[in-house]
Amino acid sequence: MAGSTEAIDFEALFAAAARVQTFAYAPYSRFRVGAAILGDDGVVYPGCNVENAAYPSGSCAEQGAISAMIAGGGRRIRAILVLGDGDELVTPCGACRQRIREFAAPETPVAIAGPGGIRQMFSLAELLPASFGPDNLRR
Ligand SMILES: [Zn+2]
């Protein structure tokens, strides 16, 4: 089951992700990914993947979008969209699922898109069940 999607402009998220996907720095994989977050402040924060010649030093699109949100003053993720090319669903990698969890509730919608638009909706809980999050460290 996908999370609550009321009053979320997924077309705006798709447009933002599509724009930054074209700017992605992916000279090695040539696999460009764009992401867009709707923050709790109503602002759309985009991010794209940035590869590095020292491969593990590269960063994911979701990571860039989270950094943009935090730097822009947003604190919570209301929704996130990830856009990639190819036949397979471009879902967030395991590390990014955890990064998203830091700022999003389990029911937060995660839209997975391809060039033609949204392909599938998930809740974060579907992608990262029984997750460990900030609440685990609160007493
Ligand atoms: Zn990732």
Side-chain angles (χ1 to χ4, degrees):
M1 294 291 290
S4 172
T5 57
E6 292 171 47
I8 293 171
D9 185 355
F10 284 99
E11 286 186 20
L13 291 178
F14 181 83
R19 176 176 159 76
V20 296
Q21 184 191 25
T22 67
F23 300 142
Y25 180 75
Y28 309 110
S29 73
R30 308 220 179 267
F31 192 76
R32 293 185 164 90
V33 180
I37 287 170
L38 175 63
D40 56 348
D41 54 0
V43 176
V44 173
Y45 296 102
C48 60
N49 55 326
V50 180
E51 294 183 346
N52 192 286
Y55 283 19
S57 297
S59 57
C60 296
E62 300 91 323
Q63 201 172 351
I66 288 169
S67 293
M69 179 187 80
I70 295 301
R75 281 298 175 267
R76 299 290 295 168
I77 296 171
R78 283 179 57 196
I80 181 167
L81 180 144
V82 181
L83 167 61
D85 297 329
D87 295 332
E88 303 296 324
L89 286 178
V90 180
T91 52
C93 74
C96 283
R97 294 176 195 206
Q98 186 65 44
R99 290 185 179 109
I100 294 165
R101 177 65 184 90
E102 184 70 18
F103 305 103
E107 62 270 19
T108 302
V110 181
I112 306 304
I118 292 175
R119 290 176 159 178
Q120 195 164 339
M121 295 291 303
F122 295 92
S123 67
L124 179 57
E126 289 174 309
L127 297 177
L128 191 66
S131 63
F132 185 91
D135 290 344
N136 290 94
L137 298 183
R138 292 200 183 102
R139 300 174 197 195

